[in-house]
Amino acid sequence: EAAHKQGAILCANIEAEHFTSHRGTRIEVTTDPLGGDFNSSYLDSTDYMSYRINVPQTGTYRLEYRVASPTGGTVILGRDGTDLAVTNVPNTGGYQNWQTISTTVSLQAGTQFLTVYVQAGGWNLNWWRLTPQ
Ligand code: MG
């Protein structure tokens, strides 16, 4: 957890609960078979979780979210109020039925705060991940 908060990550799971700031979220124990200890829950529209991330190089990254939802929703990865990637969260069959969803995002090198923003709620987040393409 300490490493995450110092921004020394990438290519590893960023646990949802390791945010540096947030609005409106709660943490609960996850039953994801892949692990992850806790997941963020009670995600409603306009809630967010912000993370300090050290992006090693400018370029395109695979962006993955580990999500569970009985309804579906929408997640945005943003920086400084700009939307970098808008992704639909599917109906996975329940709040502890986990799927990994994937998209791509262009990032600039450097240590920065990236925000997982809840556009349409009704889903849980266990972790997310960035992988250089
Ligand atoms: Mg987790």
PDB file of all heavy atoms in Angstrom, residues 13-18 27-28 30 32 35-40 66 98 125-128, ligand 1:
ATOM      1  N   ASN A  13      -1.633  -4.605  -9.910  1.00  0.00           N
ATOM      2  CA  ASN A  13      -2.982  -4.186  -9.568  1.00  0.00           C
ATOM      3  C   ASN A  13      -2.942  -2.976  -8.645  1.00  0.00           C
ATOM      4  O   ASN A  13      -2.181  -2.946  -7.683  1.00  0.00           O
ATOM      5  CB  ASN A  13      -3.728  -5.323  -8.879  1.00  0.00           C
ATOM      6  CG  ASN A  13      -3.982  -6.496  -9.806  1.00  0.00           C
ATOM      7  OD1 ASN A  13      -3.735  -6.404 -11.001  1.00  0.00           O
ATOM      8  ND2 ASN A  13      -4.458  -7.584  -9.239  1.00  0.00           N
ATOM      9  N   ILE A  14      -3.739  -1.995  -8.977  1.00  0.00           N
ATOM     10  CA  ILE A  14      -3.919  -0.830  -8.119  1.00  0.00           C
ATOM     11  C   ILE A  14      -5.200  -1.093  -7.351  1.00  0.00           C
ATOM     12  O   ILE A  14      -6.303  -1.043  -7.920  1.00  0.00           O
ATOM     13  CB  ILE A  14      -4.033   0.454  -8.961  1.00  0.00           C
ATOM     14  CG1 ILE A  14      -2.791   0.629  -9.846  1.00  0.00           C
ATOM     15  CG2 ILE A  14      -4.255   1.662  -8.046  1.00  0.00           C
ATOM     16  CD1 ILE A  14      -2.993   1.602 -10.997  1.00  0.00           C
ATOM     17  N   GLU A  15      -5.063  -1.423  -6.090  1.00  0.00           N
ATOM     18  CA  GLU A  15      -6.252  -1.770  -5.319  1.00  0.00           C
ATOM     19  C   GLU A  15      -7.165  -0.557  -5.185  1.00  0.00           C
ATOM     20  O   GLU A  15      -6.717   0.547  -4.870  1.00  0.00           O
ATOM     21  CB  GLU A  15      -5.861  -2.287  -3.931  1.00  0.00           C
ATOM     22  CG  GLU A  15      -5.124  -3.622  -3.955  1.00  0.00           C
ATOM     23  CD  GLU A  15      -5.975  -4.767  -4.486  1.00  0.00           C
ATOM     24  OE1 GLU A  15      -7.221  -4.650  -4.467  1.00  0.00           O
ATOM     25  OE2 GLU A  15      -5.391  -5.769  -4.937  1.00  0.00           O
ATOM     26  N   ALA A  16      -8.437  -0.777  -5.416  1.00  0.00           N
ATOM     27  CA  ALA A  16      -9.405   0.322  -5.378  1.00  0.00           C
ATOM     28  C   ALA A  16      -9.324   1.095  -4.069  1.00  0.00           C
ATOM     29  O   ALA A  16      -9.439   2.324  -4.046  1.00  0.00           O
ATOM     30  CB  ALA A  16     -10.818  -0.226  -5.585  1.00  0.00           C
ATOM     31  N   GLU A  17      -9.078   0.344  -2.992  1.00  0.00           N
ATOM     32  CA  GLU A  17      -9.103   0.955  -1.661  1.00  0.00           C
ATOM     33  C   GLU A  17      -7.823   1.722  -1.352  1.00  0.00           C
ATOM     34  O   GLU A  17      -7.722   2.348  -0.303  1.00  0.00           O
ATOM     35  CB  GLU A  17      -9.357  -0.128  -0.599  1.00  0.00           C
ATOM     36  CG  GLU A  17      -8.275  -1.186  -0.472  1.00  0.00           C
ATOM     37  CD  GLU A  17      -8.464  -2.385  -1.404  1.00  0.00           C
ATOM     38  OE1 GLU A  17      -9.172  -2.249  -2.422  1.00  0.00           O
ATOM     39  OE2 GLU A  17      -7.887  -3.444  -1.109  1.00  0.00           O
ATOM     40  N   HIS A  18      -6.863   1.720  -2.265  1.00  0.00           N
ATOM     41  CA  HIS A  18      -5.599   2.426  -2.026  1.00  0.00           C
ATOM     42  C   HIS A  18      -5.596   3.822  -2.644  1.00  0.00           C
ATOM     43  O   HIS A  18      -4.547   4.325  -3.042  1.00  0.00           O
ATOM     44  CB  HIS A  18      -4.426   1.598  -2.569  1.00  0.00           C
ATOM     45  CG  HIS A  18      -4.177   0.356  -1.784  1.00  0.00           C
ATOM     46  ND1 HIS A  18      -3.210  -0.569  -2.112  1.00  0.00           N
ATOM     47  CD2 HIS A  18      -4.787  -0.124  -0.665  1.00  0.00           C
ATOM     48  CE1 HIS A  18      -3.239  -1.568  -1.233  1.00  0.00           C
ATOM     49  NE2 HIS A  18      -4.183  -1.330  -0.361  1.00  0.00           N
ATOM     50  N   ILE A  27     -15.692   0.964   1.600  1.00  0.00           N
ATOM     51  CA  ILE A  27     -14.848  -0.216   1.404  1.00  0.00           C
ATOM     52  C   ILE A  27     -15.516  -1.400   2.084  1.00  0.00           C
ATOM     53  O   ILE A  27     -16.032  -1.267   3.193  1.00  0.00           O
ATOM     54  CB  ILE A  27     -13.431   0.023   1.971  1.00  0.00           C
ATOM     55  CG1 ILE A  27     -12.689   1.038   1.096  1.00  0.00           C
ATOM     56  CG2 ILE A  27     -12.637  -1.276   2.062  1.00  0.00           C
ATOM     57  CD1 ILE A  27     -11.377   1.496   1.689  1.00  0.00           C
ATOM     58  N   GLU A  28     -15.488  -2.540   1.387  1.00  0.00           N
ATOM     59  CA  GLU A  28     -16.006  -3.776   1.980  1.00  0.00           C
ATOM     60  C   GLU A  28     -15.092  -4.922   1.583  1.00  0.00           C
ATOM     61  O   GLU A  28     -14.355  -4.827   0.600  1.00  0.00           O
ATOM     62  CB  GLU A  28     -17.444  -4.036   1.503  1.00  0.00           C
ATOM     63  CG  GLU A  28     -17.547  -4.258   0.003  1.00  0.00           C
ATOM     64  CD  GLU A  28     -18.984  -4.364  -0.486  1.00  0.00           C
ATOM     65  OE1 GLU A  28     -19.908  -3.981   0.253  1.00  0.00           O
ATOM     66  OE2 GLU A  28     -19.164  -4.827  -1.627  1.00  0.00           O
ATOM     67  N   THR A  30     -13.956  -8.113  -0.182  1.00  0.00           N
ATOM     68  CA  THR A  30     -14.356  -8.697  -1.454  1.00  0.00           C
ATOM     69  C   THR A  30     -14.316 -10.216  -1.378  1.00  0.00           C
ATOM     70  O   THR A  30     -13.511 -10.791  -0.640  1.00  0.00           O
ATOM     71  CB  THR A  30     -13.451  -8.199  -2.600  1.00  0.00           C
ATOM     72  OG1 THR A  30     -14.042  -8.593  -3.840  1.00  0.00           O
ATOM     73  CG2 THR A  30     -12.042  -8.760  -2.508  1.00  0.00           C
ATOM     74  N   ASP A  32     -14.036 -11.775  -4.387  1.00  0.00           N
ATOM     75  CA  ASP A  32     -13.462 -12.068  -5.700  1.00  0.00           C
ATOM     76  C   ASP A  32     -12.514 -13.262  -5.583  1.00  0.00           C
ATOM     77  O   ASP A  32     -11.584 -13.233  -4.776  1.00  0.00           O
ATOM     78  CB  ASP A  32     -12.689 -10.823  -6.174  1.00  0.00           C
ATOM     79  CG  ASP A  32     -12.198 -10.944  -7.603  1.00  0.00           C
ATOM     80  OD1 ASP A  32     -12.116 -12.080  -8.126  1.00  0.00           O
ATOM     81  OD2 ASP A  32     -11.894  -9.898  -8.193  1.00  0.00           O
ATOM     82  N   GLY A  35      -8.892 -12.602  -5.457  1.00  0.00           N
ATOM     83  CA  GLY A  35      -8.330 -11.882  -4.321  1.00  0.00           C
ATOM     84  C   GLY A  35      -8.555 -10.390  -4.428  1.00  0.00           C
ATOM     85  O   GLY A  35      -9.417  -9.924  -5.164  1.00  0.00           O
ATOM     86  N   GLY A  36      -7.757  -9.646  -3.685  1.00  0.00           N
ATOM     87  CA  GLY A  36      -7.879  -8.191  -3.712  1.00  0.00           C
ATOM     88  C   GLY A  36      -8.340  -7.598  -2.403  1.00  0.00           C
ATOM     89  O   GLY A  36      -8.507  -6.386  -2.310  1.00  0.00           O
ATOM     90  N   ASP A  37      -8.558  -8.463  -1.404  1.00  0.00           N
ATOM     91  CA  ASP A  37      -8.826  -8.029  -0.029  1.00  0.00           C
ATOM     92  C   ASP A  37     -10.135  -7.247   0.130  1.00  0.00           C
ATOM     93  O   ASP A  37     -11.058  -7.713   0.763  1.00  0.00           O
ATOM     94  CB  ASP A  37      -7.670  -7.183   0.515  1.00  0.00           C
ATOM     95  CG  ASP A  37      -6.373  -7.961   0.596  1.00  0.00           C
ATOM     96  OD1 ASP A  37      -6.449  -9.187   0.781  1.00  0.00           O
ATOM     97  OD2 ASP A  37      -5.303  -7.351   0.465  1.00  0.00           O
ATOM     98  N   PHE A  38     -10.159  -6.055  -0.455  1.00  0.00           N
ATOM     99  CA  PHE A  38     -11.324  -5.191  -0.300  1.00  0.00           C
ATOM    100  C   PHE A  38     -11.746  -4.656  -1.660  1.00  0.00           C
ATOM    101  O   PHE A  38     -10.939  -4.595  -2.582  1.00  0.00           O
ATOM    102  CB  PHE A  38     -11.012  -3.998   0.621  1.00  0.00           C
ATOM    103  CG  PHE A  38     -10.605  -4.397   1.999  1.00  0.00           C
ATOM    104  CD1 PHE A  38      -9.257  -4.520   2.310  1.00  0.00           C
ATOM    105  CD2 PHE A  38     -11.550  -4.657   2.979  1.00  0.00           C
ATOM    106  CE1 PHE A  38      -8.858  -4.897   3.590  1.00  0.00           C
ATOM    107  CE2 PHE A  38     -11.156  -5.030   4.257  1.00  0.00           C
ATOM    108  CZ  PHE A  38      -9.811  -5.154   4.567  1.00  0.00           C
ATOM    109  N   ASN A  39     -13.003  -4.249  -1.759  1.00  0.00           N
ATOM    110  CA  ASN A  39     -13.436  -3.528  -2.956  1.00  0.00           C
ATOM    111  C   ASN A  39     -14.157  -2.260  -2.548  1.00  0.00           C
ATOM    112  O   ASN A  39     -14.707  -2.148  -1.447  1.00  0.00           O
ATOM    113  CB  ASN A  39     -14.323  -4.398  -3.859  1.00  0.00           C
ATOM    114  CG  ASN A  39     -15.597  -4.882  -3.209  1.00  0.00           C
ATOM    115  OD1 ASN A  39     -15.697  -6.036  -2.806  1.00  0.00           O
ATOM    116  ND2 ASN A  39     -16.602  -3.998  -3.096  1.00  0.00           N
ATOM    117  N   SER A  40     -14.122  -1.295  -3.444  1.00  0.00           N
ATOM    118  CA  SER A  40     -14.899  -0.081  -3.253  1.00  0.00           C
ATOM    119  C   SER A  40     -16.337  -0.360  -3.636  1.00  0.00           C
ATOM    120  O   SER A  40     -16.606  -1.073  -4.616  1.00  0.00           O
ATOM    121  CB  SER A  40     -14.348   1.054  -4.108  1.00  0.00           C
ATOM    122  OG  SER A  40     -13.144   1.526  -3.565  1.00  0.00           O
ATOM    123  N   ARG A  66     -11.344  -4.253 -12.605  1.00  0.00           N
ATOM    124  CA  ARG A  66     -11.984  -5.449 -12.058  1.00  0.00           C
ATOM    125  C   ARG A  66     -13.288  -5.004 -11.398  1.00  0.00           C
ATOM    126  O   ARG A  66     -13.264  -4.329 -10.355  1.00  0.00           O
ATOM    127  CB  ARG A  66     -11.052  -6.105 -11.037  1.00  0.00           C
ATOM    128  CG  ARG A  66     -11.558  -7.439 -10.507  1.00  0.00           C
ATOM    129  CD  ARG A  66     -11.491  -8.530 -11.547  1.00  0.00           C
ATOM    130  NE  ARG A  66     -11.780  -9.837 -10.946  1.00  0.00           N
ATOM    131  CZ  ARG A  66     -11.967 -10.940 -11.667  1.00  0.00           C
ATOM    132  NH1 ARG A  66     -11.891 -10.905 -12.982  1.00  0.00           N
ATOM    133  NH2 ARG A  66     -12.211 -12.072 -11.062  1.00  0.00           N
ATOM    134  N   TRP A  98     -17.449 -11.033 -10.402  1.00  0.00           N
ATOM    135  CA  TRP A  98     -16.373 -10.175 -10.898  1.00  0.00           C
ATOM    136  C   TRP A  98     -15.968 -10.479 -12.327  1.00  0.00           C
ATOM    137  O   TRP A  98     -15.876 -11.637 -12.714  1.00  0.00           O
ATOM    138  CB  TRP A  98     -15.161 -10.295  -9.969  1.00  0.00           C
ATOM    139  CG  TRP A  98     -15.473  -9.777  -8.613  1.00  0.00           C
ATOM    140  CD1 TRP A  98     -15.885 -10.504  -7.529  1.00  0.00           C
ATOM    141  CD2 TRP A  98     -15.467  -8.411  -8.201  1.00  0.00           C
ATOM    142  NE1 TRP A  98     -16.122  -9.658  -6.471  1.00  0.00           N
ATOM    143  CE2 TRP A  98     -15.870  -8.375  -6.849  1.00  0.00           C
ATOM    144  CE3 TRP A  98     -15.155  -7.211  -8.845  1.00  0.00           C
ATOM    145  CZ2 TRP A  98     -15.969  -7.189  -6.141  1.00  0.00           C
ATOM    146  CZ3 TRP A  98     -15.255  -6.034  -8.130  1.00  0.00           C
ATOM    147  CH2 TRP A  98     -15.653  -6.027  -6.794  1.00  0.00           C
ATOM    148  N   LEU A 125     -15.731  -1.818  -7.522  1.00  0.00           N
ATOM    149  CA  LEU A 125     -14.384  -1.893  -8.096  1.00  0.00           C
ATOM    150  C   LEU A 125     -13.451  -2.561  -7.100  1.00  0.00           C
ATOM    151  O   LEU A 125     -13.342  -2.115  -5.955  1.00  0.00           O
ATOM    152  CB  LEU A 125     -13.875  -0.480  -8.427  1.00  0.00           C
ATOM    153  CG  LEU A 125     -12.473  -0.395  -9.033  1.00  0.00           C
ATOM    154  CD1 LEU A 125     -12.443  -0.995 -10.439  1.00  0.00           C
ATOM    155  CD2 LEU A 125     -11.970   1.053  -9.067  1.00  0.00           C
ATOM    156  N   ASN A 126     -12.784  -3.625  -7.558  1.00  0.00           N
ATOM    157  CA  ASN A 126     -11.820  -4.313  -6.700  1.00  0.00           C
ATOM    158  C   ASN A 126     -10.418  -3.749  -6.926  1.00  0.00           C
ATOM    159  O   ASN A 126      -9.718  -3.427  -5.970  1.00  0.00           O
ATOM    160  CB  ASN A 126     -11.861  -5.821  -7.006  1.00  0.00           C
ATOM    161  CG  ASN A 126     -10.969  -6.614  -6.074  1.00  0.00           C
ATOM    162  OD1 ASN A 126     -10.339  -6.072  -5.165  1.00  0.00           O
ATOM    163  ND2 ASN A 126     -10.893  -7.911  -6.297  1.00  0.00           N
ATOM    164  N   TRP A 127     -10.015  -3.661  -8.211  1.00  0.00           N
ATOM    165  CA  TRP A 127      -8.714  -3.083  -8.550  1.00  0.00           C
ATOM    166  C   TRP A 127      -8.761  -2.601  -9.977  1.00  0.00           C
ATOM    167  O   TRP A 127      -9.700  -2.881 -10.717  1.00  0.00           O
ATOM    168  CB  TRP A 127      -7.573  -4.069  -8.339  1.00  0.00           C
ATOM    169  CG  TRP A 127      -7.731  -5.468  -8.871  1.00  0.00           C
ATOM    170  CD1 TRP A 127      -8.035  -6.593  -8.153  1.00  0.00           C
ATOM    171  CD2 TRP A 127      -7.568  -5.925 -10.242  1.00  0.00           C
ATOM    172  NE1 TRP A 127      -8.089  -7.693  -8.983  1.00  0.00           N
ATOM    173  CE2 TRP A 127      -7.796  -7.314 -10.263  1.00  0.00           C
ATOM    174  CE3 TRP A 127      -7.251  -5.288 -11.448  1.00  0.00           C
ATOM    175  CZ2 TRP A 127      -7.724  -8.082 -11.443  1.00  0.00           C
ATOM    176  CZ3 TRP A 127      -7.182  -6.048 -12.620  1.00  0.00           C
ATOM    177  CH2 TRP A 127      -7.410  -7.426 -12.594  1.00  0.00           C
ATOM    178  N   TRP A 128      -7.733  -1.864 -10.365  1.00  0.00           N
ATOM    179  CA  TRP A 128      -7.560  -1.494 -11.766  1.00  0.00           C
ATOM    180  C   TRP A 128      -6.074  -1.569 -12.083  1.00  0.00           C
ATOM    181  O   TRP A 128      -5.237  -1.744 -11.188  1.00  0.00           O
ATOM    182  CB  TRP A 128      -8.179  -0.130 -12.060  1.00  0.00           C
ATOM    183  CG  TRP A 128      -7.650   1.038 -11.299  1.00  0.00           C
ATOM    184  CD1 TRP A 128      -7.790   1.270  -9.960  1.00  0.00           C
ATOM    185  CD2 TRP A 128      -6.903   2.130 -11.840  1.00  0.00           C
ATOM    186  NE1 TRP A 128      -7.180   2.449  -9.641  1.00  0.00           N
ATOM    187  CE2 TRP A 128      -6.623   3.004 -10.766  1.00  0.00           C
ATOM    188  CE3 TRP A 128      -6.448   2.461 -13.117  1.00  0.00           C
ATOM    189  CZ2 TRP A 128      -5.898   4.179 -10.941  1.00  0.00           C
ATOM    190  CZ3 TRP A 128      -5.752   3.633 -13.293  1.00  0.00           C
ATOM    191  CH2 TRP A 128      -5.470   4.473 -12.222  1.00  0.00           C
TER     192      TRP A 128
HETATM  193 MG    MG B   1      -9.206  -4.607  -3.848  1.00  0.00          MG
END
